[in-house]
PDB file of all heavy atoms in Angstrom:
ATOM      1  N   PRO A 145      -9.529   5.744  -0.466  1.00 98.00           N
ATOM      2  CA  PRO A 145      -9.449   6.850  -1.443  1.00 98.00           C
ATOM      3  C   PRO A 145      -8.011   7.490  -1.545  1.00 98.00           C
ATOM      4  O   PRO A 145      -7.459   7.504  -0.450  1.00 98.00           O
ATOM      5  CB  PRO A 145     -10.567   7.810  -1.151  1.00 98.00           C
ATOM      6  CG  PRO A 145     -10.764   7.509   0.281  1.00 98.00           C
ATOM      7  CD  PRO A 145     -10.570   6.123   0.575  1.00 98.00           C
ATOM      8  N   GLY A 152       2.404  22.805  -1.371  1.00 97.00           N
ATOM      9  CA  GLY A 152       1.913  24.091  -0.917  1.00 97.00           C
ATOM     10  C   GLY A 152       0.456  24.123  -0.625  1.00 97.00           C
ATOM     11  O   GLY A 152      -0.041  25.065   0.063  1.00 97.00           O
ATOM     12  N   TYR A 203      -3.893  20.368   7.578  1.00 98.00           N
ATOM     13  CA  TYR A 203      -2.394  20.489   7.461  1.00 98.00           C
ATOM     14  C   TYR A 203      -2.055  21.118   6.087  1.00 98.00           C
ATOM     15  O   TYR A 203      -2.938  21.121   5.205  1.00 98.00           O
ATOM     16  CB  TYR A 203      -1.667  19.200   7.800  1.00 98.00           C
ATOM     17  CG  TYR A 203      -2.093  17.995   6.935  1.00 98.00           C
ATOM     18  CD1 TYR A 203      -1.649  17.682   5.696  1.00 98.00           C
ATOM     19  CD2 TYR A 203      -3.163  17.199   7.452  1.00 98.00           C
ATOM     20  CE1 TYR A 203      -2.054  16.706   5.019  1.00 98.00           C
ATOM     21  CE2 TYR A 203      -3.545  16.037   6.621  1.00 98.00           C
ATOM     22  CZ  TYR A 203      -2.991  15.846   5.411  1.00 98.00           C
ATOM     23  OH  TYR A 203      -3.474  14.794   4.698  1.00 98.00           O
ATOM     24  N   THR A 211       5.146  10.686  -3.512  1.00 98.00           N
ATOM     25  CA  THR A 211       4.098   9.838  -2.964  1.00 98.00           C
ATOM     26  C   THR A 211       4.268   9.567  -1.474  1.00 98.00           C
ATOM     27  O   THR A 211       5.443   9.356  -1.016  1.00 98.00           O
ATOM     28  CB  THR A 211       4.216   8.446  -3.718  1.00 98.00           C
ATOM     29  OG1 THR A 211       3.989   8.628  -5.094  1.00 98.00           O
ATOM     30  CG2 THR A 211       3.093   7.599  -3.200  1.00 98.00           C
ATOM     31  N   THR A 260      -7.890  -9.171  12.100  1.00 97.00           N
ATOM     32  CA  THR A 260      -6.645  -8.717  12.645  1.00 97.00           C
ATOM     33  C   THR A 260      -6.548  -8.201  13.941  1.00 97.00           C
ATOM     34  O   THR A 260      -5.661  -8.246  14.760  1.00 97.00           O
ATOM     35  CB  THR A 260      -5.894  -7.717  11.631  1.00 97.00           C
ATOM     36  OG1 THR A 260      -6.836  -6.608  11.391  1.00 97.00           O
ATOM     37  CG2 THR A 260      -5.584  -8.315  10.303  1.00 97.00           C
ATOM     38  N   ILE A 282      -1.495  -6.477  -3.879  1.00 98.00           N
ATOM     39  CA  ILE A 282      -1.182  -5.435  -4.660  1.00 98.00           C
ATOM     40  C   ILE A 282      -2.564  -4.659  -4.899  1.00 98.00           C
ATOM     41  O   ILE A 282      -3.460  -5.250  -5.502  1.00 98.00           O
ATOM     42  CB  ILE A 282      -0.648  -5.670  -6.029  1.00 98.00           C
ATOM     43  CG1 ILE A 282       0.702  -6.360  -5.904  1.00 98.00           C
ATOM     44  CG2 ILE A 282      -0.434  -4.483  -6.916  1.00 98.00           C
ATOM     45  CD1 ILE A 282       1.372  -6.876  -7.158  1.00 98.00           C
ATOM     46  N   LEU A 285      -5.471  -6.765  -3.591  1.00 98.00           N
ATOM     47  CA  LEU A 285      -5.733  -7.983  -4.491  1.00 98.00           C
ATOM     48  C   LEU A 285      -4.522  -8.936  -4.371  1.00 98.00           C
ATOM     49  O   LEU A 285      -3.421  -8.617  -4.639  1.00 98.00           O
ATOM     50  CB  LEU A 285      -5.926  -7.740  -5.886  1.00 98.00           C
ATOM     51  CG  LEU A 285      -7.012  -6.673  -6.130  1.00 98.00           C
ATOM     52  CD1 LEU A 285      -7.186  -6.266  -7.606  1.00 98.00           C
ATOM     53  CD2 LEU A 285      -8.478  -7.340  -5.773  1.00 98.00           C
ATOM     54  N   GLY A 287      -3.924 -11.791  -6.101  1.00 98.00           N
ATOM     55  CA  GLY A 287      -3.294 -12.251  -7.334  1.00 98.00           C
ATOM     56  C   GLY A 287      -3.381 -13.732  -7.627  1.00 98.00           C
ATOM     57  O   GLY A 287      -3.905 -14.500  -6.722  1.00 98.00           O
ATOM     58  N   MET A 310       4.871   5.898 -14.445  1.00 98.00           N
ATOM     59  CA  MET A 310       5.415   6.088 -13.129  1.00 98.00           C
ATOM     60  C   MET A 310       4.540   5.232 -12.220  1.00 98.00           C
ATOM     61  O   MET A 310       3.403   5.504 -12.004  1.00 98.00           O
ATOM     62  CB  MET A 310       5.442   7.533 -12.787  1.00 98.00           C
ATOM     63  CG  MET A 310       6.183   7.690 -11.395  1.00 98.00           C
ATOM     64  SD  MET A 310       6.819   9.427 -11.076  1.00 98.00           S
ATOM     65  CE  MET A 310       5.193  10.282 -10.718  1.00 98.00           C
ATOM     66  N   ASP A 335      12.270   8.854  -6.921  1.00 98.00           N
ATOM     67  CA  ASP A 335      11.762   9.595  -5.776  1.00 98.00           C
ATOM     68  C   ASP A 335      11.569   8.585  -4.630  1.00 98.00           C
ATOM     69  O   ASP A 335      11.051   7.459  -4.999  1.00 98.00           O
ATOM     70  CB  ASP A 335      10.509  10.312  -6.156  1.00 98.00           C
ATOM     71  CG  ASP A 335       9.799  11.031  -5.056  1.00 98.00           C
ATOM     72  OD1 ASP A 335       9.540  10.582  -3.945  1.00 98.00           O
ATOM     73  OD2 ASP A 335       9.535  12.242  -5.292  1.00 98.00           O
ATOM     74  N   TYR A 340      13.060  13.764  -4.219  1.00 98.00           N
ATOM     75  CA  TYR A 340      13.658  13.300  -5.372  1.00 98.00           C
ATOM     76  C   TYR A 340      15.078  12.777  -5.048  1.00 98.00           C
ATOM     77  O   TYR A 340      15.779  13.195  -4.102  1.00 98.00           O
ATOM     78  CB  TYR A 340      13.861  14.507  -6.325  1.00 98.00           C
ATOM     79  CG  TYR A 340      12.595  15.094  -6.852  1.00 98.00           C
ATOM     80  CD1 TYR A 340      12.367  16.491  -6.847  1.00 98.00           C
ATOM     81  CD2 TYR A 340      11.573  14.321  -7.396  1.00 98.00           C
ATOM     82  CE1 TYR A 340      11.227  17.055  -7.362  1.00 98.00           C
ATOM     83  CE2 TYR A 340      10.364  14.868  -7.912  1.00 98.00           C
ATOM     84  CZ  TYR A 340      10.260  16.176  -7.833  1.00 98.00           C
ATOM     85  OH  TYR A 340       9.049  16.757  -8.384  1.00 98.00           O
ATOM     86  N   ASN A 424      22.803  -8.778   1.604  1.00 94.00           N
ATOM     87  CA  ASN A 424      23.769  -8.067   0.814  1.00 94.00           C
ATOM     88  C   ASN A 424      22.945  -7.378  -0.385  1.00 94.00           C
ATOM     89  O   ASN A 424      23.400  -6.215  -0.684  1.00 94.00           O
ATOM     90  CB  ASN A 424      24.734  -9.106   0.162  1.00 94.00           C
ATOM     91  CG  ASN A 424      25.702  -9.457   1.205  1.00 94.00           C
ATOM     92  OD1 ASN A 424      26.028  -8.770   2.182  1.00 94.00           O
ATOM     93  ND2 ASN A 424      26.247 -10.694   1.038  1.00 94.00           N
ATOM     94  N   PHE A 455      21.030   4.761  19.931  1.00 98.00           N
ATOM     95  CA  PHE A 455      19.895   3.933  20.371  1.00 98.00           C
ATOM     96  C   PHE A 455      20.087   2.451  19.924  1.00 98.00           C
ATOM     97  O   PHE A 455      20.266   2.303  18.750  1.00 98.00           O
ATOM     98  CB  PHE A 455      18.611   4.456  19.717  1.00 98.00           C
ATOM     99  CG  PHE A 455      18.031   5.809  20.283  1.00 98.00           C
ATOM    100  CD1 PHE A 455      16.928   6.372  19.864  1.00 98.00           C
ATOM    101  CD2 PHE A 455      18.744   6.380  21.408  1.00 98.00           C
ATOM    102  CE1 PHE A 455      16.463   7.546  20.368  1.00 98.00           C
ATOM    103  CE2 PHE A 455      18.279   7.561  21.892  1.00 98.00           C
ATOM    104  CZ  PHE A 455      17.140   8.152  21.433  1.00 98.00           C
ATOM    105  N   VAL A 457      18.216  -1.016  19.250  1.00 97.00           N
ATOM    106  CA  VAL A 457      16.802  -1.446  18.807  1.00 97.00           C
ATOM    107  C   VAL A 457      16.778  -2.847  18.673  1.00 97.00           C
ATOM    108  O   VAL A 457      17.710  -3.526  18.055  1.00 97.00           O
ATOM    109  CB  VAL A 457      16.276  -0.669  17.522  1.00 97.00           C
ATOM    110  CG1 VAL A 457      16.187   0.805  17.786  1.00 97.00           C
ATOM    111  CG2 VAL A 457      17.155  -1.047  16.348  1.00 97.00           C
ATOM    112  N   LYS A 536       8.686   7.508  28.317  1.00 98.00           N
ATOM    113  CA  LYS A 536       9.820   8.420  28.416  1.00 98.00           C
ATOM    114  C   LYS A 536       9.935   9.157  27.082  1.00 98.00           C
ATOM    115  O   LYS A 536       9.783   8.639  25.947  1.00 98.00           O
ATOM    116  CB  LYS A 536      11.171   7.766  28.746  1.00 98.00           C
ATOM    117  CG  LYS A 536      11.106   7.001  30.172  1.00 98.00           C
ATOM    118  CD  LYS A 536      12.339   6.266  30.294  1.00 98.00           C
ATOM    119  CE  LYS A 536      12.275   5.452  31.699  1.00 98.00           C
ATOM    120  NZ  LYS A 536      12.525   6.291  32.812  1.00 98.00           N
ATOM    121  N   VAL A 539      13.849  15.473  25.108  1.00 98.00           N
ATOM    122  CA  VAL A 539      13.502  16.839  25.071  1.00 98.00           C
ATOM    123  C   VAL A 539      14.463  17.550  24.284  1.00 98.00           C
ATOM    124  O   VAL A 539      15.680  17.412  24.657  1.00 98.00           O
ATOM    125  CB  VAL A 539      13.275  17.499  26.406  1.00 98.00           C
ATOM    126  CG1 VAL A 539      12.928  19.036  26.262  1.00 98.00           C
ATOM    127  CG2 VAL A 539      12.211  16.810  27.202  1.00 98.00           C
ATOM    128  N   LEU A 565      10.153   8.150  11.630  1.00 98.00           N
ATOM    129  CA  LEU A 565      10.145   9.328  12.448  1.00 98.00           C
ATOM    130  C   LEU A 565       8.972  10.291  12.012  1.00 98.00           C
ATOM    131  O   LEU A 565       9.073  10.736  10.803  1.00 98.00           O
ATOM    132  CB  LEU A 565      11.450  10.007  12.362  1.00 98.00           C
ATOM    133  CG  LEU A 565      11.650  11.382  13.143  1.00 98.00           C
ATOM    134  CD1 LEU A 565      11.352  11.245  14.626  1.00 98.00           C
ATOM    135  CD2 LEU A 565      13.014  11.980  12.941  1.00 98.00           C
ATOM    136  N   PHE A 580      28.515  -0.389  15.649  1.00 98.00           N
ATOM    137  CA  PHE A 580      29.004   0.921  15.258  1.00 98.00           C
ATOM    138  C   PHE A 580      30.254   1.328  15.922  1.00 98.00           C
ATOM    139  O   PHE A 580      30.328   1.076  17.295  1.00 98.00           O
ATOM    140  CB  PHE A 580      27.885   2.017  15.587  1.00 98.00           C
ATOM    141  CG  PHE A 580      28.330   3.369  15.382  1.00 98.00           C
ATOM    142  CD1 PHE A 580      28.440   3.880  14.093  1.00 98.00           C
ATOM    143  CD2 PHE A 580      28.559   4.270  16.364  1.00 98.00           C
ATOM    144  CE1 PHE A 580      28.820   5.242  13.907  1.00 98.00           C
ATOM    145  CE2 PHE A 580      28.918   5.580  16.173  1.00 98.00           C
ATOM    146  CZ  PHE A 580      29.087   6.059  14.984  1.00 98.00           C
ATOM    147  N   LYS A 635       9.363   1.742  20.315  1.00 98.00           N
ATOM    148  CA  LYS A 635       8.887   3.094  20.014  1.00 98.00           C
ATOM    149  C   LYS A 635       9.348   4.072  21.104  1.00 98.00           C
ATOM    150  O   LYS A 635       9.644   3.582  22.169  1.00 98.00           O
ATOM    151  CB  LYS A 635       7.354   3.106  19.812  1.00 98.00           C
ATOM    152  CG  LYS A 635       6.631   2.358  20.887  1.00 98.00           C
ATOM    153  CD  LYS A 635       5.125   2.150  20.570  1.00 98.00           C
ATOM    154  CE  LYS A 635       4.446   1.269  21.657  1.00 98.00           C
ATOM    155  NZ  LYS A 635       3.160   0.873  21.277  1.00 98.00           N
TER     156      LYS A 635
END
Side-chain angles (χ1 to χ4, degrees):
Y203 53 89
T211 303
T260 51
I282 296 177
L285 302 171
M310 185 158 75
D335 183 303
Y340 296 133
N424 286 334
F455 287 178
V457 296
K536 300 173 181 286
V539 178
L565 176 59
F580 173 75
K635 48 197 174 186

